[in-house]
């Protein structure tokens, strides 16, 4: 019996060493980046929490999108969880053509970005961009955007005669300023037109209805988009255990919106927000950690649950 136990223990040690040796030292710290957007801060923070619980280092930098791609091509970054398609196609196309950055998984579906109103106005007939002119008086001749420089599509649509919006003003302030106006309208009659997108906690805080008819400027499906995980060339083969986690790591609009709320409304750091979100819905770990081990070959799910006190 003693000999059997010793052999079993030796086999376990050999197996653990083999798994650990399967990934080179270059995999010990996962180098990630995000461009300072709250949705990508949350998802990257989630990856960081999981990686650290699995025994990896996680280093995240906030960089502009062009810099992120150049750094991945140069081997200075490993992972980017925020490729928005189609918004980032023009940034990615040259690196895709050279094969230096690889898209490995779609991690979010159902994202959108277009004009919106509140449900009472939508119920009253404000359902399409071409309906906006009919309600000019109710809207006080205004549509609400975010910070100056980020509302060009709204300005272009105001200038486009097909929508009949001559004389309308695009009110530019900030994301929070716009949402303050949405809250004010909600307390009154619900008549407001504003720039909206998902994921974002605004979709949980307000009864938003997205307008049809802006496909020529924002694209189909309400400016629909998907978000993908990308890695530097060869990373998935080099770091297969991290790669398995990246293939599993997908999100939902509701989940991201809630997590973003922890960052934007509660002032939590991305990693603290991610930890709070996971603790609120620990079942997500089952899918995220399927087939994933700790860096030294241990039970990945058990390690993460233990690290988070679950």
């Amino acid at each position: 019996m003693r000999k059997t136990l010793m052999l079993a223990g030796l086999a376990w040690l050999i197996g653990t060493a083999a798994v650990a040796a399967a990934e080179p030292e270059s995999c010990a710290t996962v180098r990630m980046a995000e461009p300072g957007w709250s949705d990508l801060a949350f998802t990257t923070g989630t990856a960081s929490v999981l990686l650290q619980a699995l025994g990896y280092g996680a280093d995240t930098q906030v960089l502009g999108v062009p810099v992120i791609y150049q750094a991945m091509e140069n081997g200075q970054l490993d992972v980017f969880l925020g490729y928005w398609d189609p918004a980032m196609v023009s940034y990615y196309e040259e690196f895709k053509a050279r094969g230096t950055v690889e898209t490995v998984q779609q991690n979010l579906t159902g994202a959108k970005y277009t004009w919106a109103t509140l449900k009472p106005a939508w119920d009253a007939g404000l359902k399409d961009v071409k309906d906006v002119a009919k309600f000019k008086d109710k809207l006080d001749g205004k549509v609400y955007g975010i910070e100056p420089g980020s509302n060009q599509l709204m300005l272009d649509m105001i200038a486009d005669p097909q929508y009949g919006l001559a004389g309308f003003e695009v009110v530019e302030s900030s994301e929070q300023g716009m949402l303050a106006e949405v809250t004010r309208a909600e307390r009154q009659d619900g008549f407001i037109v504003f720039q909206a997108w998902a994921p974002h906690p605004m979709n949980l805080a307000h009864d938003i209805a997205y307008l049809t008819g802006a496909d020529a400027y924002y694209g189909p499906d309400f400016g629909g988009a998907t978000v993908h995980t990308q890695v530097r060339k060869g990373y998935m083969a080099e770091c297969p255990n991290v790669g398995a986690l990246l293939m599993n790591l997908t999100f939902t609009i509701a989940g991201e919106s809630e997590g973003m709320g922890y960052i934007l409304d509660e002032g939590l750091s991305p990693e603290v927000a991610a930890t709070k979100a996971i603790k609120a819905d620990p079942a997500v770990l089952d899918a995220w950690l399927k087939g994933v081990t700790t860096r030294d070959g241990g039970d990945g799910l058990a390690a993460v649950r233990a690290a988070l006190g679950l």
Side-chain angles (χ1 to χ4, degrees):
M1 172 65 83
R2 185 177 178 183
K3 183 176 181 181
T4 300
L5 290 174
M6 290 178 63
L7 289 173
L10 181 61
W12 180 84
L13 287 171
I14 293 172
T16 299
V19 171
E23 289 191 332
E25 189 60 28
S26 59
C27 303
T29 296
V30 182
R31 302 167 300 171
M32 299 179 286
E34 53 93 0
W37 303 352
S38 53
D39 61 321
L40 302 183
F42 173 71
T43 57
T44 307
T46 300
S48 181
V49 166
L50 297 175
L51 287 164
Q52 291 179 77
L54 292 169
Y56 293 89
D59 178 33
T60 298
Q61 298 183 55
V62 177
L63 302 168
V65 173
V67 178
I68 290 173
Y69 280 119
Q70 193 63 59
M72 292 178 75
E73 181 173 68
N74 294 341
Q76 297 167 310
L77 288 175
D78 303 313
V79 177
F80 178 42
L81 294 174
Y83 172 54
W84 275 68
D85 184 3
M88 292 184 185
V89 167
S90 61
Y91 293 105
Y92 174 46
E93 56 187 358
E94 65 176 288
F95 301 94
K96 180 180 179 180
R98 288 196 291 270
T100 54
V101 177
E102 302 170 347
T103 300
V104 299
Q105 176 65 296
Q106 180 175 306
N107 65 53
L108 181 71
T109 187
K112 64 184 78 173
Y113 175 62
T114 193
W115 289 24
T117 188
L118 295 171
K119 192 60 162 51
W122 193 87
D123 288 339
L126 180 47
K127 300 181 178 183
D128 188 274
V129 174
K130 290 185 178 179
D131 296 325
V132 173
K134 303 174 189 176
F135 295 94
K136 185 174 184 178
D137 291 341
K138 296 283 285 183
L139 297 168
D140 196 26
K142 297 176 181 178
V143 295
Y144 290 84
I146 48 177
E147 68 275 0
S150 297
N151 304 301
Q152 193 57 50
L153 292 178
M154 297 190 90
L155 293 165
D156 289 346
M157 287 178 63
I158 294 292
D160 191 331
Q162 70 170 305
Y163 299 110
L165 297 174
F168 269 80
E169 174 192 358
V170 177
V171 179
E172 300 183 293
S173 57
S174 66
E175 178 183 315
Q176 292 306 311
M178 180 191 75
L179 292 176
E181 292 294 334
V182 173
T183 299
R184 181 192 61 77
E186 197 166 44
R187 291 171 180 165
Q188 297 178 358
D189 57 8
F191 273 85
I192 186 172
V193 171
F194 59 100
Q195 179 63 73
W197 60 92
H200 192 280
M202 72 172 82
N203 297 278
L204 304 177
H206 304 285
D207 197 359
I208 291 175
Y210 287 82
L211 304 184
T212 57
D215 291 16
Y217 288 86
Y218 289 84
D221 301 321
F222 303 102
T226 53
V227 185
H228 302 255
T229 299
Q230 297 179 318
V231 298
R232 60 176 171 82
K233 180 181 179 181
Y235 185 75
M236 300 294 280
E238 181 181 332
C239 305
N241 191 53
V242 178
L245 175 64
L246 296 177
M247 291 298 293
N248 291 346
L249 195 58
T250 60
F251 303 91
T252 65
I253 294 294
E256 280 197 33
S257 295
E258 183 174 359
M260 292 166 68
Y262 297 152
I263 295 172
L264 295 171
D265 301 331
E266 299 183 22
L268 302 183
S269 71
E271 290 187 2
V272 173
T275 300
K276 182 174 180 177
I278 293 169
K279 287 186 174 182
D281 184 20
V284 297
L285 294 176
D286 294 334
W288 286 350
L289 296 164
K290 185 177 181 180
V292 178
T293 70
T294 61
R295 184 166 182 256
D296 61 7
D299 186 323
L301 177 60
V304 173
R305 291 184 65 87
L308 298 180
L310 297 172

